[in-house]
Amino acid sequence: MTAEKSPDAFGIYVHWPFCLSKCPYCDFNSHVRHATIDEDRFARAFAREIETTAARAPDRRVTSIFLGGGTPSLMRPQTVGSILDAIGKHWRVAPDVEVTLEANPTSVEATRFGGYRSAGVNRVSLGVQALDDASLKALGRLHSAREALDAVAIARNNFERYSFDLIYARPDQTPDMWAGELKLAITEAAEHLSLYQLTIEPETPFAALHAAGRLKTPDEATARALYDVTQEVCDAHGLRAYEISNHARAGAECRHNLVYWRGEGYAGIGPGAHGRLDIDGTRHAIATEKRPETWLMRVEATGHGVITDDELNSEERADEFLLMGLRLAEGIDPARYAALSGRVLDPKRIALLREEGAITVDPDGRLRVTQAGFPVLDAVVADLAA
Ligand SMILES: C[S@@+](CC[C@H](N)C(=O)[O-])C[C@H]1O[C@@H](n2cnc3c(N)ncnc32)[C@H](O)[C@@H]1O
Ligand code: SF4
């Protein structure tokens, strides 16, 4: 059973946009700077944007905060503390708020974990990516497998809740190799693992190598076998997939990510952050300036870095609900789709997808994508939304 749905879940995403180096597969909003970053100036800008955003959406109770990146574990603990203080000053915060910080597993960063805990972080998510050194090198990572496992141990000593990420479907990875790596990961992961299939993102160095035939990703059948192994090994060890790439013990799901997938509201703070705010009954899709220094100047001049603020119409809102909700094992309630869009999902399409084994329908009507349907999720969503 997935974590209880909170009736008034509201999340805050805070983006720290800097990394020590750029990994060749990554297209997140992350930047490398050789000059020292003025953290105090950024901290003041974060506080300012938090104040402005809270003024637009004041009556919320914050149930989760996620400091993502980039590499938030490059921030000093006092910078993290000042961001959390600003959130507490401008919003009501639930006593059991989940506060996650994304960390890279290098030894330097792990030394800050105690400081983050004192600042109010109560969960870390570590980007381990692989558990063998050759793969880590190929992924352009700056840490070894040993260093990553040491960081996991430090996370375990500091936080009751932690998770780590692995990337699979890497070049030359076989299902047997992956099963072994995953079993080792599970012995180290207490309650939660994020397992992402490597995607070749446009305009990354990996995309260029891939196009030149110098980086070979597994063919479709191998990718499918790797996906199936992921589900089998995790299921056998009690780490069920509650979302297409996220596995947890019952009750240990990341509450912040559930906010996104369940279509709840959240604020996005920092360069290139996205938010979804319900203002006067209308959902706003909000995005901020991506370039860190431009964002900083905008916030200093105007109090916020927002460059896009779109009011979603009922169709767009319903499509987003479908796209996000069907990623979850708990699926979606078609009645909510109908309430949002003003039209019911086509029963003929539902029947066909069911026959094909891509979805199931619960006795109460809830739709869920099956293990066979998840690898073709985009097609399933497009079919239902058509
Ligand atoms: C915001 S990113 C990075 C967090 C942190 N900076 C790190 O690298 O450890 C979150 C996760 O997305 C995953 N990721 C990033 N790019 C990916 C790609 N091209 N394919 C699959 N997973 C990817 C990685 O597992 C990564 O840990
Ligand atoms: S994967 Fe993480 S460390 Fe690497 S560039 Fe992306 S955000 Fe930075």
Side-chain angles (χ1 to χ4, degrees), residues 47 142 146 206 263 278 301 356 364 376:
L142 298 180
R146 182 71 265 154
F206 264 24
D278 297 323
E356 288 166 3
D364 65 0
V376 290

Side-chain angles (χ1 to χ4, degrees), residues 18-19 21-23 25-28 30 69-71 104 129 141:
F18 301 111
C19 292
S21 68
K22 185 84 191 174
C23 304
Y25 53 85
C26 175
D27 81 337
F28 281 85
S30 61
T71 308
N104 280 28
Q129 319 307 3
R141 301 294 291 181

Side-chain angles (χ1 to χ4, degrees), residues 89-363:
K89 192 168 154 203
H90 296 289
W91 270 296
R92 273 186 307 137
V93 176
D96 62 344
V97 62
E98 173 190 271
V99 185
T100 305
L101 178 128
E102 227 168 39
N104 280 28
T106 72
S107 51
V108 177
E109 287 161 272
T111 59
R112 300 194 192 106
F113 287 0
Y116 294 141
R117 189 194 54 203
S118 307
V121 172
N122 55 29
R123 182 175 182 274
V124 286
S125 171
L126 293 152
V128 170
Q129 319 307 3
L131 287 174
D132 76 275
D133 288 343
S135 297
L136 287 168
K137 193 158 178 254
L139 289 170
R141 301 294 291 181
L142 298 180
H143 53 85
S144 64
R146 182 71 265 154
E147 208 176 353
L149 290 176
D150 288 347
V152 169
I154 297 170
R156 187 182 302 124
N157 291 336
N158 278 284
F159 299 99
E160 233 170 85
R161 300 185 64 199
Y162 67 92
S163 172
F164 60 87
D165 299 351
L166 293 175
I167 295 180
Y168 71 98
R170 308 189 301 257
D172 301 325
Q173 194 177 33
T174 65
D176 276 352
M177 282 158 66
W178 172 228
E181 187 175 0
L182 193 50
K183 282 178 195 157
L184 171 60
I186 288 170
T187 62
E188 298 285 339
E191 56 162 37
H192 192 287
L193 273 178
S194 301
L195 305 169
Y196 299 110
Q197 195 154 340
L198 176 65
T199 41
I200 302 297
E201 302 291 351
E203 289 170 43
T204 56
F206 264 24
L209 286 173
H210 193 249
R214 288 169 52 210
L215 185 135
K216 289 206 174 17
T217 45
D219 59 28
E220 211 173 299
T222 312
R224 180 60 209 260
L226 288 161
Y227 174 81
D228 288 344
V229 160
T230 309
Q231 312 315 315
E232 276 158 31
V233 174
C234 286
D235 281 353
H237 292 84
L239 282 171
R240 198 182 64 102
Y242 67 99
E243 189 265 351
I244 187 163
S245 306
N246 282 277
H247 298 251
R249 300 203 187 282
E253 299 83 2
C254 172
R255 274 184 261 151
H256 184 78
N257 285 337
L258 285 174
V259 163
Y260 302 148
W261 297 318
R262 285 175 173 165
E264 311 284 359
Y266 56 96
I269 304 292
H274 290 254
R276 292 287 181 277
L277 293 181
D278 297 323
I279 301 168
D280 298 331
T282 303
R283 173 145 296 200
H284 289 240
I286 298 167
T288 56
E289 162 64 42
K290 285 175 95 170
R291 282 161 297 179
E293 292 76 14
T294 315
W295 172 84
L296 189 63
M297 285 189 288
R298 271 178 177 266
V299 176
E300 287 174 346
T302 67
H304 65 81
V306 173
I307 53 163
T308 309
D309 185 348
D310 294 331
E311 293 188 12
L312 299 185
N313 63 31
S314 50
E315 193 74 7
E316 290 166 333
R317 175 119 203 238
D319 283 350
E320 198 165 88
F321 166 72
L322 207 57
L323 191 70
M324 299 304 273
L326 285 175
R327 299 171 63 111
L328 287 170
E330 69 184 23
I332 58 132
D333 176 1
R336 186 155 174 223
Y337 176 85
L340 289 169
S341 70
R343 68 181 181 99
V344 292
L345 290 166
D346 183 354
K348 282 202 227 86
R349 285 178 188 271
I350 293 179
L352 207 61
L353 285 167
R354 217 172 150 178
E355 258 171 53
E356 288 166 3
I359 60 168
T360 58
V361 182
D362 288 2

